[in-house]
Amino acid sequence: MSARPIHKSLVDLRSQHKKAFAVLVDPDKVSIPQINHIANLCNDAHVDYLFVGGSLMVTQHLDECIQSFKMNSDIPVILFPGSPSQVSCYADALFYLSLISGRNPELLIGAHVVSAPMVKASGLEVISTGYMVVDGGAATTVSYMSHSAPIPHDKDDIALCTAMAGEMQGKHVLYVDAGSGARQPISESMIRRIASNTDIPLIVGGGITDPEKAYLNCKAGADVIVVGNAIEKNPNLIKEIANAVHQSTVKA
Ligand code: 1GP
């Protein structure tokens, strides 16, 4: 088996023209019975990844959340941390996020220096991630917390150059995010520009609320679609969006 199985699975998506669906869970917003229910829905829908993370982490049950999910599902769990403290050795991998769209040194390297010993000791698979926040039409938590302006929604060129820089810096993947609950998700034209000019896996999320948008994003070149907020409101969307994402592979 690959020494970095999760990273390999993401790279394989692009080379095999497959699309994946990731459900994002914020431990602050789910109880343990709810996470068990989500695990069952994810299993039924053949969800590809569970992303776990939140901007704040007010509650202390990150480990418990992941352990409960793992007791009910074999779906890989990847940490999507909002802060350096959000590390759990029960996950399979961690997005080591560098906010390359921002100009806050703390989120480019500072927090990484602080968390490096803890991350190393966790034994987690580390996925170096070029994290790009794009204006989603609402003041999202990530923009506020990061003290960074997002990339303007219609500036595909800036997004493309940022993505190219991330790739050339050696990031393993790109995560382009309009922010949780964004009013305007990432445009298909921005996804198309980035996907057709970079070769590393492209993860897209923020404000995706329906299967049609997920499908169109895949067609535009996203390799992984992430949905959190909409699923919190309507867990039945898990199956609908998973089907749309996987269908986009079939009709390549
Ligand atoms: C946010 O990309 C994720 O960081 C998902 O966004 O919660 O709007 O689906 P939503």
Side-chain angles (χ1 to χ4, degrees), residues 138-222:
T140 52
T141 312
V142 64
S143 287
Y144 176 77
M145 295 299 283
S146 68
H147 303 282
S148 270
I151 294 174
H153 180 78
D154 58 349
K155 299 292 183 196
D156 295 2
D157 287 345
I158 298 177
L160 171 59
C161 294
T162 307
M164 287 166 62
E167 179 176 43
M168 289 188 283
Q169 281 185 333
K171 305 292 183 233
H172 297 149
V173 302
L174 295 166
Y175 189 144
V176 183
D177 195 351
S180 196
R183 287 196 200 113
Q184 260 183 320
I186 306 293
S187 70
E188 283 128 50
S189 73
M190 186 177 282
I191 295 169
R192 200 169 292 113
R193 287 295 297 285
I194 296 172
S196 54
N197 290 286
T198 55
D199 293 317
I200 53 178
L202 176 58
I203 302 164
V204 174
I208 300 171
T209 56
D210 59 75
E212 292 74 23
K213 178 62 180 157
Y215 180 87
L216 291 171
N217 283 359
C218 290
K219 286 299 187 194

Side-chain angles (χ1 to χ4, degrees), residues 66-230:
I66 297 173
Q67 283 176 300
S68 294
F69 185 85
K70 287 249 157 226
M71 276 166 58
N72 292 285
S73 178
D74 294 327
I75 295 168
V77 175
I78 309 179
L79 294 167
F80 175 50
S83 66
S85 61
Q86 293 175 27
V87 175
S88 168
C89 61
Y90 298 105
D92 296 288
L94 168 122
F95 286 128
Y96 206 46
L97 302 168
S98 191
L99 183 65
I100 59 174
S101 59
R103 297 297 178 267
N104 178 349
E106 264 311 292
L107 300 180
L108 282 164
I109 184 64
H112 309 72
V113 173
V114 172
S115 64
M118 183 172 48
V119 171
K120 189 91 177 169
S122 73
L124 288 165
E125 179 184 340
V126 174
I127 302 174
S128 169
T129 304
Y131 185 47
M132 295 167 50
V133 177
V134 176
D135 188 359
T140 52
T141 312
V142 64
S143 287
Y144 176 77
M145 295 299 283
S146 68
H147 303 282
S148 270
I151 294 174
H153 180 78
D154 58 349
K155 299 292 183 196
D156 295 2
D157 287 345
I158 298 177
L160 171 59
C161 294
T162 307
M164 287 166 62
E167 179 176 43
M168 289 188 283
Q169 281 185 333
K171 305 292 183 233
H172 297 149
V173 302
L174 295 166
Y175 189 144
V176 183
D177 195 351
S180 196
R183 287 196 200 113
Q184 260 183 320
I186 306 293
S187 70
E188 283 128 50
S189 73
M190 186 177 282
I191 295 169
R192 200 169 292 113
R193 287 295 297 285
I194 296 172
S196 54
N197 290 286
T198 55
D199 293 317
I200 53 178
L202 176 58
I203 302 164
V204 174
I208 300 171
T209 56
D210 59 75
E212 292 74 23
K213 178 62 180 157
Y215 180 87
L216 291 171
N217 283 359
C218 290
K219 286 299 187 194
D223 299 300
V224 182
I225 299 296
V226 190
V227 180
N229 221 46

